[in-house]
Amino acid sequence: RSSAQSLAKPLLPATMRRPPRLRGASSPWLAWRSLCATASAIPIPAAPPHQTDPLSAHFSNRPAARDPAVVENLTSTLRALFASSPSHPRAFTLLKSAAFDAGLAPGALVDAVLSAAAGPHSGSPVAAVHVSLLSRLLTSLSRAGRASAAADAYAHMVARGVVPDVKSRTDLLVTTARCSSARDALALFAEMRGRGDRVDAWMFDALMRACVKEGMLEDAVRLFDEMPGAEIEPDQRVYALVIAALCKLRDADRGLHLLGEMKEAGFETWDFTYRSVVDVLVKVGRMEEALRVKDEMLSAGKKMDVVLATILMHGYCLRGEVEKALDLFDETLANSILPTNVTYGTLIRGCDQAGMTQKVYVLYRQMRGQGLLPSSHEFGLVIKGLLCDKQWEDAVSLCVEMADSRLPDVFTYNGLIRWLCQQHKLREALNLFGKMKETGVKPSVVTYNSLLMGYCEKGCMDEAVKLYSEMPVEGFVPNVFTYTFLMKGYIKKKAFDKAYALLDEMKQNGVSCNEYTHNVLINGICMSDRIYEVDEMLKNFIGEGFVPTTMTYNSIINGFVKAGMMGSAFAMYQQMREKGIPANIVTYTSFIDGYCRTSCCDLALKMLNNVRRKGLQPDIAAYNALISGFCHEGNMSHALQFLVILLKDGLTPTSAVYTNFITGYKDLKMMKEASKFYESMIKEGIAADTVTYTTLIDGFSKDGNVAFALELYSEMMAKGNIPDDITFTALTHGLCRIGDIDGAKKLLDDMRRLDVCPNALIYNMLINGSLRDGKLQEAFQLHDEMLNRGIVPDDTTSDILAGQKSPEGQLC
């Protein structure tokens, strides 16, 4: 009795105690010295004669802890404690220290407890108090993250006929899921249920949570469905989990049903649960129901937060109701709800899809003002919007500004570089390419192909070949587009031999030609003075396995038409029909265009009627060819009739249609009528392009209204239209005619800045103007500059310098 009283006293001073979760990390010597000192007051069996070390020495030495004698001493100590009190508080402390400090095997710990509890009656059932002790041991092992030890202990308990309590088995399932996998936890749970062990809602909750975390959503729902069979009512947590799982599975109907069932059961619905249901309804396109659930949530005393607002904005954007999404955004700001990156990203993507490019940029600036950064994809949409609005300088500036933050990725750079190359802004594209490499963004094959396209479009084939040779060094393998761009560049320079050599190199490197490559070569030769070679080229390609398509024959027919060889075009059309390749509206439009070009508009009209009889609907290109033909003939009344017809057919006039009318009236020196078409064009929201502006500038310059021509020049620059050498030729001619040679010379600076190469005619007019003003030295300086820039003087240049004639009559 006195021994039991001494054991009831605190084992360690209060200052030396540690929180329960940290005891496993305490000093083995300190814990066991105190435990053994206390246990020494209890009679225990005599130790073998050679056992002279205290029990603490064995338990503080991990290798020795596996000695059967150590386990026997633990059993004896526990037996003494149980003899004092079956629920002695020191028993668990001793057992836990043996597990965590001494490292005894889980099975040995279970055996020690059961042997100590059985006493001389080994066949007696295990008392509840000892089951509780083993359950606490299982909980400790589980919560310490020792999944393997906990599983071994549990298996040993079951083998000895001990079923730990529900709480400890729940802890075991949780640690199994966390340290192993949810699937292993499910298998363990199935074993428990198979033995008829009691389970509760906490177990289902723990397993469902693990399944949802690992994406095993169907298993989470299956567990919920098994609860009625286990006679367990779902609680608030279980309802929330199964609704979340169903919403992720996009089972909106059942998710909505269980939300109502949860309310009927009297459980409070969490904000997260409401949001999950609203989210799935939005994703499946049931926006009205989503708004109804949102109203129910607010009626239940919940508040609108940024997550719910963002979900609803996303729903509006999916329906194409971006304006409503923006209204909700303004409402959240008015209610002091701060938007997040996700909110802004949702709106940026929605505005991009709706074509609201200016709003995309506004949202980006608003986002940056709040200190937030978009994703790389969303930043790319901002750049794309600026390019669509022809604000390329802002796009480049913004990309460079954010480059150090690594926000622009390779896709953003590629899109911007490609656009710049397509718009002949190669210098800016190359600067951006350098910035890309400087900030550590690795280029791709697409990057190199875009730059190759830029070089080839400008005719800079030496630079293109140099860049091409760098690709293997940088680890990039040229693909079919690489070779095709280079071929296109050589064809543009009429260097067909080099293009064919590149085709051979391409085949040697194992790169197969595609339809695009073949059509580029065919189209290239059709657009040159070697159109006569196209038939043989086509036969060679067919022999290599190429199957010509409608597009192939359209290129050939169009080439013959442009060359004025209508008979050859018709022969190719016959060949096309013999091969069973169907003609389309593009085929017939080429013939209509050809007849109009040869002043045979009556034949073009017959072709148009033939198209209608075949059941084909003439497109805007067909009507434009006819309008162009009549305008070229000066027959504006017939051209206007076809404008009326295309409008009746539901077609919208393009910039090319308006430009044809402007050209027709310009040729008739009716600039007032030309201006009316330009004003109508702007009113209809159709953007004028470089050709339109050049035509107007040329017309007004010839009409003597150079001041208005210069205004149009400034306007086209402000709207992002880059003038070409023809535009500058028209302006130079106008300025020279009014004697403003200095103003004309300033245009050379603009051309340098815009990377536009002057032509011989521009220099001829400037040289002639300088000579006319008596500035002989300036005239020869212009001639030298002309040579330095690689522009070959023509016969007119020599005649001007010799003082024989003026080029004023030679216009573009």
Side-chain angles (χ1 to χ4, degrees), residues 258-278:
L258 287 181
L259 177 65
E261 186 179 301
M262 182 180 184
K263 292 179 182 178
E264 289 176 4
F267 294 118
E268 179 188 357
T269 307
W270 292 328
D271 292 12
F272 172 77
T273 307
Y274 275 118
R275 289 197 298 263
S276 296
V277 175
V278 171

Side-chain angles (χ1 to χ4, degrees), residues 390 624 653-664 666 671 674-682 686-701 708-709 712-713 715-716 719 721-724 726-727 730:
K390 296 188 177 180
N624 188 46
T654 62
S655 175
V657 173
Y658 280 100
T659 302
N660 278 325
F661 278 103
I662 292 169
T663 303
K666 182 205 77 167
M671 291 309 297
S675 293
K676 287 180 180 178
F677 263 91
Y678 171 66
E679 291 166 4
S680 174
M681 177 182 185
I682 301 303
I686 299 170
D689 57 16
T690 298
V691 179
T692 311
Y693 278 112
T694 299
T695 305
L696 287 166
I697 288 169
D698 184 40
F700 282 110
S701 294
F708 188 64
L712 288 168
Y713 170 69
E715 181 183 311
M716 76 180 291
K719 290 186 176 181
N721 288 290
I722 305 302
D724 55 17
I726 302 176
T727 314

Side-chain angles (χ1 to χ4, degrees), residues 98-148:
F100 289 97
D101 298 333
L104 284 179
L109 295 170
V110 173
D111 289 340
V113 172
L114 294 179
S115 297
H121 309 289
S122 57
S124 59
V126 182
V129 65
H130 301 132
V131 173
S132 175
L133 178 63
L134 289 173
S135 297
R136 291 179 66 190
L137 172 64
L138 181 59
T139 294
S140 296
L141 292 170
S142 298
R143 292 189 177 182
R146 298 177 62 175
S148 178

